[in-house]
Amino acid sequence: MSQCEALPLILVVEDEPEIRRFLRVSLTGNGYQILEATKGEEALTLAADKKPDVIILDLGLPDIDGTEVAGKIREWSQVPIIILSARNQEVDKVAALDLGADDYLTKPFGVYELLARIKVALKHASRAKTEEEEPVFSAGKICVDMAKRLVFLDGEEVHLTPNEYKLLLTLVQSPGKLISQQQLLRAVWGPGYAKEGHYLRVYMGQLRRKLEEDPANPKHLITEPGLGYRFCE
């Protein structure tokens, strides 16, 4: 395999020429190969044929909406999808996340923030491909032994309730990924609780008190207001 072939491949789905040009320069200059699509149907074809490592997806495409593109890709692939859109309404962000997007950046955006999100997406995808991975997650002083269902802080076991553990486990299984409130509620309490956002506020507060050095300024259990939560390593 040549050095070029080993570079991560990113599919950029964007119909604005200026932004596409900016992304082309920024991504190739930081060690990525890119494919470009200006329409949703073209993106679906490229995603199936070329199997990119990450997809950067605009929502306002000229043929079909980006949320529909994300939903169709999720029917057959778990490739990380990062939304890059001018839509800044919470309802649009939540809809995209619920349809399978991994992250969401609002235009205008900073290239360093985008590069950081891409690194997280690639890291998560790499973990997902490792089937024989040791079922132990560590970040800072927090350690989660998934096989034994035990949680440790600085080497000392921390007692969590069943729902606290399920909430933490859902987050650490996708480190760095933004997970919507609805996804977390369904994963922990079931499909009938998708609107009970106050459950999350209460249980996240309890987890922070047990696991964060400064619960008022958490380093790991991060809230994305109006959208959901992510576990930052």
Side-chain angles (χ1 to χ4, degrees):
M1 181 180 289
S2 70
Q3 183 177 4
C4 181
E5 290 174 333
L7 298 176
L9 178 63
I10 299 178
L11 172 58
V12 173
V13 189
E14 171 63 65
D15 65 325
E16 295 184 40
E18 297 83 3
I19 295 179
R20 207 165 57 248
R21 190 179 308 113
F22 173 73
L23 289 171
R24 184 188 312 132
V25 172
S26 300
L27 296 176
T28 56
N30 281 277
Y32 297 108
Q33 300 181 88
I34 73 163
L35 293 168
E36 298 179 26
T38 59
K39 295 182 179 180
E41 291 293 348
E42 181 186 8
L44 291 171
T45 299
L46 285 173
D49 291 346
K50 302 299 184 180
K51 295 181 173 53
D53 297 294
V54 176
I55 297 175
I56 296 175
L57 176 63
D58 183 24
L59 295 183
L61 299 172
D63 54 348
I64 58 177
D65 194 77
T67 54
E68 185 177 346
V69 175
K72 287 184 176 180
I73 290 173
R74 273 296 168 265
E75 291 175 2
W76 56 271
S77 173
Q78 292 303 309
V79 58
I81 299 173
I82 300 173
I83 301 296
L84 199 61
S85 177
R87 300 179 193 173
N88 58 9
Q89 298 297 312
E90 288 182 5
V91 63
D92 294 313
K93 297 179 181 182
V94 170
L97 293 167
D98 279 348
L99 282 169
D102 294 80
D103 217 330
Y104 198 111
L105 277 175
T106 303
K107 298 176 184 176
F109 61 94
V111 66
Y112 293 111
E113 183 175 10
L114 176 61
L115 290 171
R117 301 289 178 90
I118 291 171
K119 285 185 68 175
V120 167
L122 287 169
K123 188 174 182 180
H124 180 245
S126 177
R127 279 180 170 165
K129 290 177 182 177
T130 307
E131 296 186 358
E132 298 300 324
E133 185 177 12
E134 186 72 19
V136 175
F137 174 86
S138 296
K141 297 180 179 180
I142 299 172
C143 178
V144 182
D145 188 326
M146 300 178 195
K148 297 179 181 178
R149 297 176 62 87
L150 297 175
V151 178
F152 300 88
L153 180 66
D154 203 14
E156 297 291 328
E157 184 178 348
V158 178
H159 173 73
L160 300 183
T161 68
N163 282 343
E164 288 172 351
Y165 178 79
K166 282 197 288 184
L167 178 57
L168 178 64
L169 183 65
T170 304
L171 290 166
V172 301
Q173 284 177 329
S174 301
K177 179 180 176 180
L178 173 58
I179 304 178
S180 73
Q181 295 184 35
Q182 289 84 355
Q183 288 173 306
L184 286 170
L185 287 164
R186 285 194 293 265
V188 178
W189 287 277
Y193 292 82
K195 295 184 179 180
E196 306 295 336
H198 62 282
Y199 280 33
L200 287 176
R201 290 189 291 274
V202 171
Y203 277 81
M204 286 297 292
Q206 293 171 185
L207 277 179
R208 285 172 178 149
R209 285 192 290 274
K210 292 181 178 183
L211 298 175
E212 295 278 8
E213 290 184 25
D214 182 358
N217 297 286
K219 294 181 179 179
H220 299 293
L221 298 162
I222 306 301
T223 301
E224 297 284 355
L227 298 177
Y229 300 87
R230 70 172 91 228
F231 188 98
C232 290
E233 296 181 85

